Amino acid sequence: MNTHATPSHGTVHLEVTDGIAVLTIDNPPVNAGSHAIRKGLIEALHRCGEVRGAVLVGAGKSFIAGSDLREFGAPLAWPELPDVIAACEEAPFPVVAAIHGVALGGGLELALGCDYRIATPDANLGLPEVSLGMVPGAGGTQRLPRLTGRIAALEMICGATRITGVEAEALGLVDVVAEGDLLGAAKRFLAEDRPKRVVANLEVPEEDETALEAAAAKALHKGRGRPNVAEAIRLVKASADPDVATVLADERAVFQKLRLSEDAFALRHLFFAERKAGSVDGLDAKPRPVSSVGVIGGGTMGQGIARACLAAGLPVSLVERDTEALERSLGALRDALQAKQARGRLSEAALAAQLKALSGTTRISELTSCDLVIEAVFEDLSVKVPLLTELDATLPPETVIGTNTSYLDINAMVAGLPGRSRVLGLHFFSPADVMRLLEVVRAETTADDVLATGLALAKRLGKQPVVARVAEGFIGNRIYAAYRRRAELLVLDGAAPEQVDAAVEAFGFAMGPFAVSDMSGLDIAWAMRKRQAATRDPAARYVTIPDRLCEAGRLGRKTGGGWYDYPEKRPEPSAEVTALIAAARREAGIAPSAFDTETIQRQLLIAMVNEAALLLDEGVAQRASDIDVTLANGYGFPRWTGGPLWWAAQQPAARIEADLDALETAIDHGFARGPVPEILEDLKG
């Protein structure tokens, strides 16, 4: 056996054994494709000598988890990724990418620049650049279609979709799926005297043009028509052009332009903010083990939480008040899982496993073997407090208790509990198995290891956690309440509900506040307002319109009318609501004013920003970026703006001050002005 090794070049190690070079990419913790990696790869390729082939493999847990995004806001130094790929293609020997863990973004583009790809079955491959405001910039839009076809490439690139090694093999992206020893499999593959096979020189498979156009239209719609999505579609379509070099140069130019766009900076802000949001400064406690979960309450929220836990491989025991309600809830859960399997979103094996892991009971005493119990009963202290008292008295002391509350004071809930240190808030968003956001609420007495358990649960469920302290509505609902209040005042002062909704949608939200209220039900906020009535300042401006809608039985879509009428399940302006609004204005002595779209947008946004500043000042939220994560993941704030605080930080300071002045005038008595300039200073790009 002939073996020799050379010292590490940057963070790439080269070893040659029996005529096969192994280039190990070593940049912990995730092997990000940094400048040192790129330089090391080129140097190592040039030092391979006369070999039969080379294998690129990642040290540790991944191949390459994408490029180092911190480089993208500044000029890129040579060698850039296309230079590395050119070195792979120009090498006189075949190069194999041995993929395990993740190969994302530039990592997958590097693999596409190799002659062959071998992957483990559970490897994770994807091109997420579109979700970061860019397009793949090192040949991803050109090489991927040559292996998968343009339709599959469009779906993968524009949807920022990740696929497994097995799925990649089925698409033609991966040549071999290797069980067991990945590096050994790659060496054996090359030992069979493989020829060079430069992907960029392959022809794009023929596909039906009508199907291609339909896929492109679908991708553009899902991508909300953003410029980078449109460019990605154009570039993938252009992969059929025989002049590969010109289209690759076009792709690179588009990438270089888009990586410095406002969208890209905002989305990179969210990328890093989302990773930071799952941590708590100074928290070093280990989470308690969770291997089974109890869910109390089989309504919409309880069923969603149960589905989320089952999907994560956690056995679930559902508790309902009586046998009839239990059977109804369990039946609904089973139906939902079977429907998911019928739509191809769940394998037969996974369906069988989840159904087996689901059980039910009417007795809390049967939850003693659960490591975590989450209550999802009616949002009322008179219901939740006795339940928590019973749970604390019944469950073993090591069991963590989570309360799924949207608004209520958890400190008050647990004040009388001997075991109050094991209780925390787990505010899921509906539908709980779909929505990414999970507010992990730390009460005054929540133990550190219990908080760590909540964060670990969020990770296991695939949720985006944000940690909050106790406050009315925590982070998200408190900010949303300020936003909704400003929207209602705009209507009282002269705007129409449909005008406000249209302005919000033009900014980038999928739905405006009044359409959202109709969808979720006006009675939820009505119950909250009635609960707050005794402590409301009588001198503060109060909009009676939503109360009157509820009193008239207009609770939203579920009753056929709310802020809008729904004659054919589509919202239409309502003459009844228009009259009701006019009456409210007369009673308040208000002569309606006219509002343009920009004024509506900025007033709603500044209401969010001001409330966020107050929350941060009170310590309810840890950091400004957590606010942006919350609104982007739970409330439909357009991601390409970075969230409300990032958006505000990019605005001229004088405009923000003028917006705050106008907000103060509109709110009038009781307005609290948050330390907005100080909060935004840390976020300025």
Side-chain angles (χ1 to χ4, degrees):
M1 180 180 289
N2 177 20
T3 302
H4 71 272
T6 64
S8 168
H9 291 272
T11 48
V12 176
H13 309 281
L14 170 63
E15 183 176 288
V16 179
T17 304
D18 290 342
I20 294 176
V22 176
L23 286 67
T24 304
I25 299 156
D26 189 6
N27 187 21
V30 293
N31 286 340
S34 64
H35 175 258
I37 289 288
R38 297 193 296 271
K39 188 169 183 290
L41 281 169
I42 284 186
E43 291 176 351
L45 283 166
H46 288 162
R47 292 173 64 89
C48 284
E50 293 188 8
V51 296
R52 285 187 291 171
V55 179
L56 306 188
V57 66
K61 296 181 179 180
S62 289
F63 180 66
I64 294 182
S67 300
D68 187 344
L69 291 182
R70 290 169 294 192
E71 294 183 353
F72 283 6
L76 297 177
W78 186 94
E80 296 181 32
L81 186 53
D83 301 313
V84 180
I85 292 172
C88 290
E89 292 180 332
E90 292 165 5
F93 45 80
V95 181
V96 173
I99 302 168
H100 73 296
V102 294
L104 301 175
L108 181 54
E109 288 186 292
L110 174 61
L112 289 167
C114 296
D115 299 277
Y116 303 96
R117 283 145 298 284
I118 296 178
T120 59
D122 60 350
N124 201 293
L125 298 84
L127 293 170
E129 287 87 352
V130 164
S131 69
L132 293 167
M134 304 176 287
V135 297
T141 66
Q142 301 307 299
R143 293 185 178 90
L144 182 63
R146 286 170 162 74
L147 297 174
T148 68
R150 287 179 293 171
I151 292 175
L154 272 177
E155 293 170 351
M156 192 168 168
I157 292 171
C158 295
T161 306
R162 299 185 182 193
I163 60 175
T164 66
V166 172
E167 292 169 325
E169 183 186 36
L171 285 175
L173 170 54
V174 161
D175 298 286
V176 176
V177 169
E179 302 276 1
D181 180 9
L182 175 66
L183 183 56
K187 289 180 176 179
R188 290 191 297 274
F189 182 86
L190 279 173
E192 297 176 7
D193 293 326
R194 303 284 174 175
K196 286 289 290 183
R197 188 188 66 168
V198 175
V199 173
N201 294 340
L202 302 178
E203 290 188 5
V204 175
E206 290 282 341
E207 289 178 293
D208 180 76
E209 288 296 323
T210 302
L212 175 64
E213 290 302 323
K218 182 179 179 181
L220 189 62
H221 176 73
K222 288 183 68 175
R224 308 292 293 278
R226 299 310 297 169
N228 65 314
V229 179
E231 286 285 31
I233 292 169
R234 180 182 68 80
L235 289 164
V236 170
K237 286 182 176 181
S239 63
D241 191 318
D243 188 353
V244 180
T246 297
V247 184
L248 282 170
D250 183 11
E251 178 202 67
R252 191 64 181 173
V254 170
F255 165 78
Q256 296 283 31
K257 176 183 177 182
L258 288 173
R259 73 180 174 88
L260 299 174
S261 67
E262 290 182 4
D263 282 18
F265 276 108
L267 287 162
R268 285 197 292 272
H269 159 70
L270 274 180
F271 176 87
F272 290 114
E274 286 170 346
R275 278 141 189 81
K276 190 181 293 184
S279 65
V280 176
D281 296 339
L283 181 71
D284 56 7
K286 292 184 178 179
R288 300 185 188 184
V290 175
S291 58
S292 60
V293 176
V295 177
I296 303 177
T300 300
M301 182 59 75
Q303 289 181 33
I305 295 171
R307 289 194 301 270
C309 292
L310 290 168
L314 288 166
V316 172
S317 182
L318 184 70
V319 180
E320 259 294 1
R321 61 184 180 275
D322 55 46
T323 302
E324 183 181 351
L326 179 63
E327 288 305 316
R328 185 167 56 247
S329 297
L330 288 174
L333 275 169
R334 294 181 184 118
D335 289 346
L337 292 173
Q338 288 165 348
K340 191 174 181 181
Q341 191 272 330
R343 293 195 301 271
R345 297 177 60 190
L346 198 64
S347 69
E348 289 188 11
L351 172 63
Q354 291 189 29
L355 289 174
K356 184 179 179 181
L358 175 64
S359 61
T361 180
T362 58
R363 298 179 182 179
I364 286 174
S365 60
E366 295 186 13
L367 298 180
T368 53
S369 63
C370 294
D371 303 305
L372 168 68
V373 173
I374 304 170
E375 68 79 10
V377 299
F378 190 66
E379 187 82 343
D380 191 307
L381 282 174
S382 66
V383 177
K384 289 185 182 286
V385 171
L387 174 58
L388 291 172
T389 302
E390 183 179 1
L391 289 171
D392 190 41
T394 305
L395 300 175
E398 63 271 15
T399 303
V400 174
I401 301 173
T403 172
N404 178 68
T405 176
S406 305
Y407 289 96
L408 299 180
D409 185 341
I410 300 174
N411 293 329
M413 276 190 213
V414 304
L417 300 186
R420 53 188 173 274
S421 65
R422 58 162 160 173
V423 182
L424 80 164
L426 293 172
H427 179 206
F428 289 84
F429 289 71
S430 187
D433 56 328
V434 175
M435 294 293 286
R436 283 197 70 218
L437 184 65
L438 176 59
E439 281 186 314
V440 180
V441 186
R442 185 180 200 174
E444 290 175 357
T445 55
T446 300
D448 283 357
D449 65 334
V450 171
L451 177 62
T453 304
L455 292 171
L457 175 73
K459 183 177 181 180
R460 179 158 184 182
L461 300 185
K463 301 296 183 187
Q464 172 61 62
V466 174
V467 178
R469 291 283 188 177
V470 174
E472 177 77 28
F474 312 122
I475 297 174
N477 279 345
R478 177 165 159 184
I479 292 173
Y480 194 83
Y483 160 79
R484 184 172 56 210
R485 183 186 182 199
R486 186 67 190 99
E488 290 168 356
L489 281 170
L490 282 164
V491 169
L492 182 64
D493 289 336
E498 59 270 21
Q499 182 190 7
V500 174
D501 280 355
V504 169
E505 290 172 18
F507 182 76
F509 284 81
M511 298 174 71
F514 299 111
V516 169
S517 291
D518 276 2
M519 184 175 68
S520 60
L522 276 67
D523 48 328
I524 298 172
W526 189 32
M528 180 188 69
R529 290 192 299 274
K530 287 189 287 188
R531 177 166 51 82
Q532 296 172 335
T535 57
R536 186 180 302 122
D537 185 345
R541 294 190 76 194
Y542 182 74
V543 182
T544 61
I545 299 166
D547 293 347
R548 293 184 179 184
L549 290 172
C550 292
E551 290 162 3
R554 298 182 64 94
L555 304 181
R557 286 177 179 262
K558 60 188 175 185
T559 59
W563 288 96
Y564 297 97
D565 288 337
Y566 295 88
E568 295 183 9
K569 297 185 179 181
R570 295 181 63 85
E572 291 185 4
S574 168
E576 181 182 348
V577 174
T578 299
L580 192 150
I581 292 170
R585 289 170 181 162
R586 287 193 299 272
E587 288 180 12
I590 292 172
S593 301
F595 296 96
D596 61 29
T597 295
E598 185 180 15
T599 298
I600 292 171
Q601 290 172 342
R602 296 191 70 88
Q603 277 297 285
L604 293 174
L605 292 168
I606 203 63
M608 290 186 179
V609 170
N610 186 67
E611 200 66 30
L614 292 170
L615 277 174
L616 288 161
D617 195 44
E618 295 165 18
V620 177
Q622 292 186 92
R623 50 183 83 90
S625 59
D626 286 1
I627 302 286
D628 288 337
V629 170
T630 301
L631 272 293
N633 283 279
Y635 296 85
F637 203 96
R639 292 183 65 85
W640 62 84
T641 65
L645 290 179
W646 177 267
W647 169 85
Q650 314 313 311
Q651 305 294 309
R655 287 293 307 272
I656 293 296
E657 285 300 310
D659 291 335
L660 285 166
D661 290 342
L663 179 66
E664 183 170 6
T665 299
I667 302 295
D668 199 12
H669 179 82
F671 175 75
R673 192 164 183 144
V676 173
E678 295 84 348
I679 297 298
L680 297 184
E681 190 61 37
D682 293 337
L683 284 176
K684 290 190 182 296

